[in-house]
Amino acid sequence: MSFHPKMSYGTGLHQSARERPDPGEPFAFTPERRARLEEIALRYPPDRRRSALLPALHLVQEQQGYVSARAMEHVAEVIGVTPAEVEDVVTYYTMFRSKPAGTYLLQVCRTLSCALNGAERVTDALARKLGIAPGETDATGMFTLVEVECLGACDRGPVVMVNDGWHECVTPEGAERLVDELREKGTAALSGCHLRVEKP
Amino acid sequence: MTEPVLTAFVREPGGFTLEASIRHGAYEGLRKALAMEPGRVIEAVKASGLRGRGGAGFPTGMKWGFVPKDSPGPKYVCCNADESEPGTFKDHVLMERNPHLVLEGVAIACYAIGARTGYIYIRGEFLHVAEVLESAIAEARAAGCLGRGILGSAFDCEIHVHRGAGAYEAGEESALLESLEGRRAQPRLRPPFPAVVGLYGCPTVINNVETLANVPLVLAKGPEWFAAIGPEQNTGPKLFCVSGHVARPGVYEASMHTTLRELIYGYAGGIRGGRALKAVIPGGSSTPVLPPGAIDAPASFDGMIKAGSMLGSAAVIVMDDTTCMVWAAENLVHFYRHESCGKCTPCREGSDWMLKILQKIERGEGEMRDLGLLESVARNIAGKTLCPFGDAEVAPVLGTLEHFRHEYEAHVREGRCPFHAGWRRGR
Ligand SMILES: Cc1cc2nc3c(=O)[nH]c(=O)nc-3n(C[C@H](O)[C@H](O)[C@H](O)COP(=O)(O)O)c2cc1C
Ligand code: FES
């Protein structure tokens, strides 16, 4: 039934722009991660297990690098919600990726304090060095470049977050060097957070 | 200049451990609180004049007083560690270098309102900070400063860290609760306010990290000590985040007598490269920009309102004379367009239209009538949304239009951006 019988549903403007998540490989938490999730779930009242949804999705991403449709189904079952509710949450938060990224996810902060210190030029230097545009992964599958919003380290800008680690006070030349050093020694190349005064 | 108290030991190696923290007086405030009636703890916080450091400057003792005393079910304290207001990086220092002060503040808040559980909602990108908090909690529990029968009293209190996953809106108090309940971080309609119906429908107090870190000082050193720091009704030590075109960006602790000029030219070492100051945003991206003529105002809650802006999260973003103010507004509106949660139409659609108009002007394709259109779109967002995000996203636009309208006009007249700063793309 339709009250707009002349309208061609499902085509043109009225087509849903929703992207279907990548189904991915069959997914289940490893026993250790499942145990960690159950431990985390104890932090919330027993009838509020849904609070463990964000932690569960962080664990999925730790395990397979992104959140596939099959992983969403698994999480839905483990938490006790519907897969649609999980997808609703995954697609809202920027840290959850519905597609795989490169080995190193280079996230350049583009917001004002970093931009005033040259973040635009850092992004351009990385794009040139890797031969890709922001949002893309290079041919080797090693680097994905994205721009992100303020990371909460504006006194150390421009900041580049690489996977979960930080690289601070980056210059365009430093950014190019970082790519080479990541290839050589992995995330040990990162400066880390300057507040860790204990580091050698 | 007052001696730093919140950040006195943040540069000391190992200063974040329980052993070092106790040496510096940690958990003394909690010990004193536990010897008092909970109502007296709230009275002490009221007497100190402590106002919330998360953005709005709401009196903390009054907020705690709104929690119903006789409600039978559980109550909660949520520590807002989302720290996503652009320009803000102060809670980061407290949590990473002085975590026990934050935990102590959460525990005192729990005791005062009758809660037994506190959640620290920390932004997902602060993974390394969350790890510091987790190990501080484990240390405090093992030493009897948290957990069952705290410090030999009958009071039980657990504190948990909850990581977000990338959403500015999760810092808004009702959206924070939604996120903590495992949903999209979108705001709730108020009333009811969280103090009555909050987390899981229970009475909940939500306070910023820095606010809670001040609470142990109020108890340990007394409300009179606290109230004597800074101007009347703007009391206590304050953390200022100074970033942008300054010689020494960083977090500085000072009283709210301190002026913007002292922060920029004293603490932060002046404008980098000896250039001239063009504009300063005093309290994070959500607060209107101020011209150089306004920097002799004290950086206090009331001082900044008088100057035509807000103290917000005390995130002072400094811009020199090479900065294009249309570009700066565009940069921040890009942020708001990206972060709008999408629930309210004026905010969601309005941010997109503001960005389109700003980009058009910055590209040199603007017309004079675009200025009026931009202002009209902004005025139709402010005050028309469920949460203050709408007011926040128009601040960069209205502030720059008020003080730097001539720059917008120059873009239109010249058909290009007249600024050529070397730190920008393609200059
Ligand atoms: C869009 C938006 C984002 C916010 N982000 C934060 C934040 O990151 N951290 C914070 O402490 N408060 C933030 N707030 C303010 C909170 O809603 C709330 O007022 C504050 O946590 C209360 O704590 P306080 O009374 O201790 O200041 C935000 C508000 C809005 C409208
Ligand atoms: S602006 Fe880049 S970290 Fe805040």
Side-chain angles (χ1 to χ4, degrees):
Chain A
M1 198 196 74
S2 154
F3 46 79
H4 282 162
K6 297 248 171 64
M7 198 177 269
S8 49
Y9 282 98
T11 61
L13 276 178
H14 291 272
Q15 203 160 29
S16 164
R18 174 170 173 256
E19 268 177 49
R20 300 250 153 210
D22 175 351
E25 302 295 315
F27 183 91
F29 280 125
T30 60
E32 305 79 61
R33 286 206 178 80
R34 178 62 196 263
R36 250 165 72 203
L37 177 59
E38 292 307 325
E39 215 175 282
I40 291 171
L42 293 176
R43 298 173 176 180
Y44 312 100
D47 57 338
R48 301 288 179 171
R49 202 170 152 82
R50 184 167 176 162
S51 279
L53 181 50
L54 258 53
L57 292 168
H58 279 303
L59 288 171
V60 169
Q61 210 153 263
E62 186 186 289
Q63 183 165 325
Q64 70 167 15
Y66 75 111
V67 188
S68 62
R70 285 207 173 95
M72 292 185 210
E73 281 165 27
H74 181 67
V75 167
E77 205 178 296
V78 170
I79 299 286
V81 292
T82 68
E85 285 170 314
V86 177
E87 190 184 337
D88 185 50
V89 167
V90 170
T91 51
Y92 181 83
Y93 293 93
T94 54
M95 287 179 76
F96 297 137
R97 296 180 294 278
S98 337
K99 285 192 205 84
T103 316
Y104 301 111
L105 179 61
L106 308 175
Q107 304 157 89
V108 187
C109 172
R110 63 160 305 283
T111 314
L112 191 56
S113 300
C114 285
L116 291 169
N117 285 295
E120 293 182 349
R121 297 198 150 224
V122 168
T123 305
D124 285 357
L126 286 170
R128 215 175 321 111
K129 172 99 178 168
L130 298 168
I132 55 174
E136 294 177 353
T137 302
D138 75 338
T140 64
M142 201 168 200
F143 296 100
T144 302
L145 175 64
V146 290
E147 287 183 294
V148 295
E149 302 288 354
C150 181
L151 291 166
C154 327
D155 55 337
R156 307 289 289 175
V159 186
V160 181
M161 194 168 155
V162 180
N163 300 346
D164 288 327
W166 290 28
H167 199 56
E168 302 180 334
C169 302
V170 186
T171 58
E173 304 74 48
E176 290 180 23
R177 232 175 13 251
L178 176 66
V179 169
D180 295 330
E181 289 181 14
L182 280 168
R183 282 198 182 106
E184 272 166 42
K185 46 185 182 184
T187 48
L190 302 179
S191 73
C193 177
H194 72 293
L195 293 168
R196 288 273 165 99
V197 289
E198 287 78 17
K199 268 180 321 201
Chain B
M1 208 160 124
T2 33
E3 279 295 299
V5 266
L6 294 165
T7 55
F9 304 104
V10 297
R11 295 265 151 220
E12 182 185 301
F16 62 93
T17 58
L18 181 66
E19 186 270 318
S21 303
I22 285 184
R23 195 153 25 84
H24 299 140
Y27 297 104
E28 278 315 306
L30 178 59
R31 198 181 296 281
K32 284 201 179 151
L34 292 176
M36 293 158 72
E37 286 286 316
R40 301 297 297 272
V41 176
I42 298 183
E43 288 308 318
V45 174
K46 278 186 184 160
S48 74
L50 172 62
R51 292 170 68 176
R53 268 55 168 153
F58 193 83
T60 305
M62 197 193 290
K63 185 183 268 190
W64 293 6
F66 291 152
V67 174
K69 272 150 212 74
D70 44 8
S71 80
K75 299 172 190 169
Y76 296 99
V77 169
C78 293
C79 173
N80 191 343
D82 196 56
E83 186 135 280
S84 7
E85 172 85 357
T88 316
F89 42 89
K90 61 188 178 63
D91 301 341
H92 183 175
V93 182
L94 288 176
M95 290 187 286
E96 188 160 350
R97 302 305 308 178
N98 209 349
H100 288 285
L101 189 67
V102 178
L103 298 180
E104 188 183 355
V106 177
I108 296 173
C110 284
Y111 178 73
I113 68 154
R116 294 173 52 164
T117 311
Y119 292 104
I120 302 180
Y121 185 100
I122 186 167
R123 63 178 299 175
E125 294 87 346
F126 279 2
L127 178 63
H128 62 287
V129 188
E131 286 167 355
V132 173
L133 284 174
E134 296 270 13
S135 56
I137 290 171
E139 265 188 311
R141 283 187 99 239
C145 300
L146 286 178
R148 318 216 86 204
I150 290 181
L151 299 173
S153 73
F155 176 58
D156 303 338
C157 181
E158 296 291 351
I159 301 177
H160 305 293
V161 178
H162 185 94
R163 271 181 78 208
Y168 168 61
E169 179 61 8
E172 194 282 329
E173 55 178 25
S174 68
L176 182 150
L177 299 177
E178 285 289 301
S179 183
L180 192 43
E181 291 184 12
R183 280 186 264 275
R184 290 184 160 219
Q186 294 187 318
R188 294 176 180 173
L189 181 65
R190 279 150 287 180
F193 289 94
V196 183
V197 182
L199 185 64
Y200 309 133
C202 303
T204 303
V205 157
I206 301 140
N207 273 132
N208 170 257
V209 170
E210 186 191 346
T211 311
L212 290 167
N214 272 297
V215 168
L217 306 177
V218 171
L219 274 295
K221 296 173 187 273
E224 304 75 23
W225 170 86
F226 194 90
I229 302 173
E232 212 181 316
Q233 298 191 354
N234 293 268
T235 57
K238 182 77 195 85
L239 300 185
F240 295 95
C241 319
V242 190
S243 69
H245 292 144
V246 287
R248 289 194 302 272
V251 175
Y252 298 102
E253 182 175 340
S255 86
M256 285 188 260
H257 279 305
T258 316
T259 62
L260 286 177
R261 181 184 298 280
E262 289 171 292
L263 287 170
I264 299 168
Y265 288 96
Y267 290 90
I271 311 293
R272 214 175 39 202
R275 298 206 68 101
L277 173 69
K278 178 185 272 189
V280 52
I281 295 177
S285 58
S286 308
T287 64
V289 67
L290 291 174
I295 65 170
D296 288 308
S300 65
F301 293 111
D302 299 333
M304 283 298 106
I305 287 177
K306 234 166 134 188
S309 189
M310 282 187 298
L311 185 64
S313 56
V316 182
I317 308 175
V318 179
M319 292 175 266
D320 72 12
D321 55 358
T322 62
T323 314
C324 167
M325 297 313 289
V326 177
W327 168 85
E330 181 201 319
N331 180 285
L332 290 180
V333 170
H334 183 287
F335 168 83
Y336 286 107
R337 179 189 171 278
H338 181 259
E339 300 296 335
S340 173
C341 81
K343 188 162 177 166
C344 308
T345 311
C347 170
R348 182 188 66 240
E349 303 299 319
S351 55
D352 192 47
W353 281 110
M354 289 196 301
L355 183 65
K356 283 194 176 109
I357 300 168
L358 285 164
Q359 286 174 333
K360 183 181 167 198
I361 298 173
E362 178 61 17
R363 275 199 312 269
E365 295 163 13
E367 302 159 68
M368 281 301 172
R369 60 175 186 173
D370 288 330
L371 275 59
L373 181 62
L374 183 60
E375 183 165 349
S376 148
V377 173
R379 298 222 183 269
N380 279 295
I381 300 169
K384 295 186 173 64
T385 52
L386 277 175
C387 85
F389 190 112
D391 304 326
E393 73 178 9
V394 303
V397 169
L398 294 180
T400 49
L401 273 175
E402 181 182 346
H403 298 292
F404 299 96
R405 198 179 186 91
H406 54 279
E407 290 199 9
Y408 283 85
E409 290 167 354
H411 280 73
V412 175
R413 244 190 345 264
E414 295 180 32
R416 65 188 180 109
C417 172
F419 297 92
H420 304 278
W423 40 268
R424 279 180 57 192
R425 170 170 289 143
R427 306 271 149 163

